[in-house]
Amino acid sequence: MSLIVMKFGGSSVGTPERMQRVARRIADYKEAGHKVVVVVSAMGDTTDDLIDQSKLLNANPPAREMDMLLTVGEQISIALLSMAIDAIGHKAMSFTGWQAGIQTEAVHAKARISDIKPDRIFAALDNGCTVIVAGFQGATAEGEITTLGRGGSDTTAVALAAAINADVCEIYTDVDGVYSTDPRVVKCARKLEEISYDEMLELANLGAAVLHPRAVEYAKNYNVRLVVRSSFTQNEGTSVKEEAVMEQGMVVRGIAYDKNVARFSILGVEDIPGVLAQVFGALASNGIDVDIIVQSGTQDGKADFAFTVSLSDKDKAIAVVERIRSEVPYREVTSEVNLVKVSIVGAGMVSNPGVAAKMFAAIYELGISIKLVTTSEIRLSVVISADHCQEVVRALHTAYGLDTAEQAFVGGPQDRR
Ligand code: ASP
Ligand code: MG
């Protein structure tokens, strides 16, 4: 007998038929003698629809009321799923985040979980119930309802798995695991049997939408055994763990791309100590996350540097850079969009020379110029024109030996989170 957390994303419970299929899967585990805690997202596009509705009434709704509204989506799911399980003869009990003992910081729209008191979950399990918990939500110590940020149900599942010391946390979605790259771009992308937390974290942060980065971080910190698998098939899925076996001869595990990039160049900056601190301090205090930063050589006491921010922060960043011009004189600032950051990720990169050279060579052979480069221990990213995204991802997939002959991709509609 195992204690299992199962998490189902919005598309997995998007219709009554799908809800029934999920209920059946849960019942199978129950009948095999396992104890089951289920975390579920809002059905289909519910969260987006609720956001749209709010905009009809208020372009800038109060964050507290927004959380009150969005948490409804998951509450519909838990109640309906419990009914579906009851209908096939099993005991189930639904809990809101608050009832499940999930306490968060006092922040709306993107609260972090601060504590979980799973007493009621254990009591319900002891009563032979399957426990159905609303994802993406919690409450502050004062009892205010909060949400964990878009896609936060993954985090709920992993945090609960850690809190109740579950044997495994299974994340059910509409693809049958984590792929070496986006199977919509590369038909011969391979499903990975295993991936390490660190690699998964890099991929998730780079926009591979299959798992929320915060959930992966949580799983790593609490050493939660994670499995990503499809709710539409019985396929085994991908195991996310501390140490993942690398297939023989491979150094790269996956390739990700992210089009949410804007690049800035600040040219002819007075090269005096503290300039970088001033520029990036101003960006940070305006809540702008900077990703890549490159300072190129100085000439005549002037320096050039470039950095990237997410597309949605572009206008804000321009305003900040213009505002600081009086304190940090520079000749010119330019910005560029229609870019993509393509990254290769693999724990094997640490100890293998030539990984970067191969990437640059493959891109050079396509005649494409690289605008920026950045690395971490297990990742190498380049920024290129978005027009070349597909061909570059394909070429790299081949260059690092990731192509598979068979087209293993099995999936339903894109999971919306
Ligand atoms: N329903 C929420 C969202 O769409 C949370 C989730 O699905 O994980 O972002
Ligand atoms: Mg959702």
Side-chain angles (χ1 to χ4, degrees):
M1 190 205 77
S2 302
L3 178 55
I4 300 174
V5 172
M6 304 169 88
K7 181 263 170 178
F8 294 92
S11 72
S12 301
V13 293
T15 63
E17 295 70 37
R18 289 182 178 190
M19 195 73 98
Q20 276 169 333
R21 189 158 17 164
V22 164
R24 189 60 254 164
R25 267 196 114 121
I26 295 166
D28 288 344
Y29 272 0
K30 279 292 287 184
E31 286 161 18
H34 302 304
K35 287 189 172 180
V36 185
V37 173
V38 178
V39 172
V40 70
S41 293
M43 293 170 71
D45 293 338
T46 304
T47 308
D48 290 323
D49 294 344
L50 290 171
I51 292 171
D52 290 345
Q53 278 192 49
S54 73
K55 292 206 175 115
L56 297 176
L57 296 167
N58 189 333
N60 192 12
R64 176 185 190 275
E65 305 311 327
M66 206 60 202
D67 278 355
M68 194 64 89
L69 177 68
L70 295 190
T71 46
V72 173
E74 271 69 14
Q75 276 172 234
I76 293 171
S77 293
I78 55 170
L80 290 176
L81 184 56
S82 300
M83 292 176 196
I85 294 171
D86 178 82
I88 54 174
H90 285 276
K91 290 207 283 185
M93 199 171 168
S94 64
F95 292 94
T96 64
W98 175 75
Q99 290 177 316
I102 299 173
Q103 192 177 308
T104 74
E105 320 163 318
V107 175
H108 286 292
K110 49 170 195 283
R112 284 180 176 264
I113 294 175
S114 46
D115 190 24
I116 299 185
K117 294 199 172 66
D119 309 9
R120 291 192 68 182
I121 293 179
F122 283 127
L125 287 173
D126 287 345
N127 271 327
C129 284
T130 292
V131 171
I132 316 287
V133 179
F136 168 64
Q137 58 174 264
T140 67
E142 287 71 43
E144 285 293 313
I145 306 259
T146 53
T147 60
L148 310 181
R150 295 304 306 268
S153 296
D154 288 352
T155 307
T156 305
V158 176
L160 272 179
I164 65 174
N165 202 11
D167 297 290
V168 61
C169 178
E170 295 188 330
I171 308 280
Y172 287 83
T173 179
D174 56 5
V175 291
D176 60 2
V178 180
Y179 275 73
S180 54
T181 193
D182 186 343
R184 290 167 302 179
V185 171
V186 179
K187 285 278 172 300
C188 49
R190 61 173 65 209
K191 191 187 83 190
L192 305 173
E193 267 167 47
E194 299 186 350
I195 185 168
S196 69
Y197 292 126
D198 288 328
E199 291 168 325
M200 190 65 237
L201 199 54
E202 291 278 11
L203 288 177
N205 275 321
L206 291 164
V210 64
L211 270 182
H212 195 279
R214 202 186 279 179
V216 182
E217 211 177 278
Y218 218 105
K220 177 179 159 67
N221 290 343
Y222 292 88
N223 207 5
V224 174
R225 222 187 106 212
L226 264 185
V227 175
V228 179
R229 58 191 302 188
S230 166
S231 59
F232 301 97
T233 71
Q234 296 291 336
N235 297 353
E236 290 241 344
T238 302
S239 226
V240 189
K241 50 206 298 208
E242 187 60 45
E243 295 274 339
V245 178
M246 194 59 114
E247 264 180 66
Q248 191 102 77
M250 299 253 215
V251 287
V252 170
R253 180 96 59 186
I255 300 173
Y257 63 91
D258 181 6
K259 293 192 173 166
N260 186 16
V261 186
R263 173 212 204 201
F264 281 78
S265 299
I266 305 188
L267 307 175
V269 185
E270 210 61 52
D271 189 26
I272 40 178
V275 164
L276 285 179
Q278 254 177 318
V279 175
F280 293 105
L283 290 165
S285 62
N286 282 279
I288 300 168
D289 251 339
V290 175
D291 181 24
I292 304 175
I293 302 176
V294 180
Q295 173 167 15
S296 49
T298 45
Q299 237 185 358
D300 307 329
K302 308 267 195 227
D304 296 340
F305 57 93
F307 60 91
T308 63
V309 300
S310 53
L311 216 43
S312 50
D313 282 338
K314 182 186 150 238
D315 292 341
K316 248 196 334 184
I318 289 180
V320 170
V321 170
E322 272 167 6
R323 224 181 298 135
I324 57 170
R325 194 166 198 157
S326 52
E327 297 140 60
V328 186
Y330 55 81
R331 190 178 72 242
E332 158 179 32
V333 57
T334 60
S335 64
E336 189 179 358
V337 294
N338 191 36
L339 297 170
V340 62
K341 182 171 79 169
V342 179
S343 308
I344 57 172
V345 172
M349 287 166 58
V350 183
S351 50
N352 275 285
V355 180
K358 187 182 257 185
M359 184 179 202
F360 301 148
I363 297 172
Y364 172 71
E365 268 163 36
L366 295 170
I368 294 163
S369 62
I370 296 172
K371 295 166 187 281
L372 288 171
V373 179
T374 168
T375 63
S376 82
E377 270 210 329
I378 61 166
R379 171 176 58 82
L380 184 64
S381 305
V382 297
V383 174
I384 58 171
S385 155
D387 301 339
H388 300 301
C389 179
Q390 291 214 350
E391 47 177 324
V392 166
V393 172
R394 283 205 189 110
L396 294 174
H397 200 266
T398 306
Y400 289 104
L402 293 168
D403 291 355
T404 157
E406 81 255 40
Q407 302 197 355
F409 178 59
V410 184
Q414 220 359 51
D415 202 346
R416 314 261 340 204
R417 287 188 292 143

